Amino acid sequence: SKESAVSGLQQRLMFEKNRHIIGSTLLSAIGSKKKLEDAVLKKIAVIDGLSRLKVDWNRKVALIVGASPKNVWMSGFLLENGMITISGNSLSLDLLALYISRLKTTRIFKKIVLTKVYRRTVRGHIFYSFELKAYLPGYENAAAQKNNAEGAKK
């Protein structure tokens, strides 16, 4: 009966090995599932953030355009490093001043600077071409540092 005892022990050993293999495989699969869930949740968070950003920028652009009084129109809009450059035209300097004032009331920008204004005459009609630099909150120093670095290169 030694042989049957050895056979029983071998079966028991094989059972324990298989149980260990199955347990390890299950633990590995659970770990992989958890990693996959975490990766999916991170991607969902990024997508949600981008959706909020899109909605936020749609709102901001609508406010910027909506701040423009009659006879002031934009001809260019550039976002770079937290600074928005707005190019446009106005039939008068008073209307341009009103536009800047309205932009300030949107509270989108930390700082707005009129960087260029040119008086132009086309077919006897006077108008003013302008350029504004508007800084988003938290970026006004970064933009100034970039300008200083560019000036140092020259």
Side-chain angles (χ1 to χ4, degrees):
S1 193
K2 245 183 180 183
E3 292 173 0
S4 67
V6 169
S7 176
L9 286 175
Q10 285 177 335
Q11 286 178 351
R12 177 86 176 153
L13 180 62
M14 186 63 97
F15 174 77
E16 289 298 325
K17 282 182 180 178
N18 287 339
R19 194 175 82 137
H20 176 72
I21 290 170
I22 291 169
S24 297
T25 303
L26 284 173
L27 287 176
S28 176
I30 290 169
S32 295
K33 180 183 179 250
K34 178 69 176 144
K35 286 179 186 176
L36 182 60
E37 285 174 347
D38 290 346
V40 168
L41 289 174
K42 285 178 184 176
K43 288 179 181 180
I44 289 170
V46 168
I47 290 168
D48 286 347
L50 291 173
S51 295
R52 280 191 300 276
L53 182 65
K54 178 183 175 192
V55 169
D56 192 44
W57 271 105
N58 285 345
R59 184 186 65 79
K60 286 179 182 177
V61 170
L63 287 171
I64 292 167
V65 172
S68 177
K70 185 176 179 180
N71 295 319
V72 173
W73 60 98
M74 289 183 3
S75 60
F77 183 90
L78 174 68
L79 171 62
E80 183 178 39
N81 297 326
M83 178 183 66
I84 295 176
T85 302
I86 301 170
S87 304
N89 298 289
S90 174
L91 290 185
S92 75
L93 292 175
D94 289 339
L95 288 171
L96 176 55
L98 177 61
Y99 181 48
I100 293 169
S101 176
R102 287 181 176 180
L103 283 174
K104 287 179 180 178
T105 63
T106 66
R107 299 181 183 249
I108 296 171
F109 306 109
K110 180 72 174 175
K111 181 179 177 183
I112 301 172
V113 178
L114 177 63
T115 55
K116 295 178 186 174
V117 63
Y118 302 101
R119 180 180 169 171
R120 304 175 98 181
T121 304
V122 175
R123 296 186 194 132
H125 298 284
I126 297 171
F127 67 97
Y128 299 86
S129 293
F130 65 87
E131 182 180 277
L132 301 171
K133 302 253 186 233
Y135 300 89
L136 296 169
Y139 286 94
E140 59 278 1
N141 292 335
Q145 289 172 354
K146 180 184 178 215
N147 290 340
N148 289 340
E150 288 175 356
K153 289 179 187 176
K154 294 178 182 178

